[in-house]
Structure formats: C-alpha cells, structure tokens
Amino acid sequence: MKKILVIHGPNLNMLGKREPDVYGAITLAQVDEAIAKKGKELGVIIESFQSNHEGAIVEKIQEMYPDIDGLIINPAAYTHTSVAIRDALMLVSAPIIEVHISNIYKREAFRHKSYISDIAMASMCGFGVKGYVLALEGLCVAIEGETVI
Ligand code: DQA
C-alpha cells in the first residue's frame, strides 16, 4: 500500500479555536479523521504529523522521505519564511501537495510569497479544511496514474 505523510505546521493544532472566521470551527483531530477516512477509501496509508517547531518538521521530513509515496503539507506560517523546510522538501522525490485552508492570495501581502509552491506538484488553497481531502484525492490520482474526473 502507498504511504502518504501529512504535515501540519504551527498553530494548526489550534484549529477550531484559532480565528474561526478564517479557518473554520473544525478541529485538527476532525481534519485528521476525515483524511484517514478518505485514505481508507482510496486504499492508502496515512501518517499525520503536526508541529509548532520548524526543526521538528525538518527532522520529520528527513526521517520519512525515503519511505513515502506522497506528501501533503500545510507549512502554515513557515510557508512564507522557511528556507529550511524548503531545503528538507528537496529530499522528497515523491509528489508534494501544498495545502492552505485560507486563500493566502486574498490575504496580507506577506502571505503571498510561498517558499514551497514552486517545488510542489500542486497547491490547494482557499477550500477550507476540505482542501486536505481534495488534495489527497488529487495526490492519489497522480501517484496511481488514474484518470478520474
Ligand atoms: C495557512 C495560511 C498561513 O498564512 C498561516 O500562517 C497559517 C495557515 C492556511 O492554511 O491558510 O497558519 O497556511
């Protein structure tokens, strides 16, 4: 079975409490549950990881990169700042999907720059937490080579 790593960056552990007008009322546990359910449907193994620490995210990528068939990452605020996470992602030969719950391009100018977009296979932003499940579907199409519309 294919293995997909899902990484959630800083403050995403506060989903449901954090700026609900921007990020919604659904908690990270509920998001991970929805991703796991979709993973089961699609026949892939999902491992989810959240950290508020840049180095911990770098270390998780370093640990997992040889064993994964795809990576979904919402680097949260590190999207806009982290060369270290970008450099770690350069280790990953499997497809990477960047996810943002909000539409970062409709927000403050400092959120318009992503250090990840140009090394990702695709980016999903502005669909709320549903974006994770949509990203997983798209990623599975890419790694299975299936054509579904
Ligand atoms: C975010 C957008 C980032 O700008 C922000 O720092 C986050 C969440 C999103 O999912 O919309 O923490 O990545």
Side-chain angles (χ1 to χ4, degrees):
M1 265 165 100
K2 305 271 195 220
K3 184 163 189 174
I4 312 293
L5 175 63
V6 180
I7 296 179
H8 307 286
N11 298 304
L12 293 172
N13 56 320
M14 300 310 285
L15 282 180
K17 292 192 178 124
R18 170 190 187 207
E19 298 178 82
D21 48 318
V22 179
Y23 300 111
I26 293 176
T27 65
L28 186 62
Q30 290 172 309
V31 170
D32 279 338
E33 208 174 291
I35 297 170
K37 186 169 165 234
K38 180 56 73 176
K40 220 175 228 175
E41 253 175 69
L42 294 167
V44 294
I45 300 167
I46 306 286
E47 177 169 333
S48 287
F49 174 79
Q50 189 276 331
S51 181
N52 294 321
H53 304 280
E54 188 175 28
I57 294 170
V58 167
E59 284 173 358
K60 188 70 183 175
I61 296 165
Q62 289 179 359
E63 175 198 327
M64 299 286 297
Y65 83 92
D67 304 323
I68 55 173
D69 299 290
L71 173 63
I72 294 174
I73 182 164
N74 182 348
Y78 290 138
T79 307
H80 319 297
T81 62
S82 183
V83 177
I85 291 175
R86 179 196 169 90
D87 285 350
L89 290 172
M90 295 302 287
L91 286 163
V92 179
S93 52
I96 298 169
I97 315 283
E98 175 187 13
V99 171
H100 298 287
I101 297 164
S102 63
N103 182 349
I104 55 174
Y105 302 103
K106 280 179 78 173
R107 301 183 65 194
E108 303 95 321
F110 66 84
R111 294 185 205 275
H112 299 177
K113 166 74 187 164
S114 166
Y115 281 91
I116 311 302
S117 296
D118 67 309
I119 57 166
M121 188 200 99
S123 298
M124 176 74 71
C125 88
F127 283 101
V129 290
K130 183 78 185 170
Y132 288 100
V133 169
L134 298 173
L136 180 59
E137 285 186 347
L139 179 58
C140 287
V141 170
I143 63 186
E144 303 288 356
E146 284 170 31
T147 319
V148 276
I149 297 181

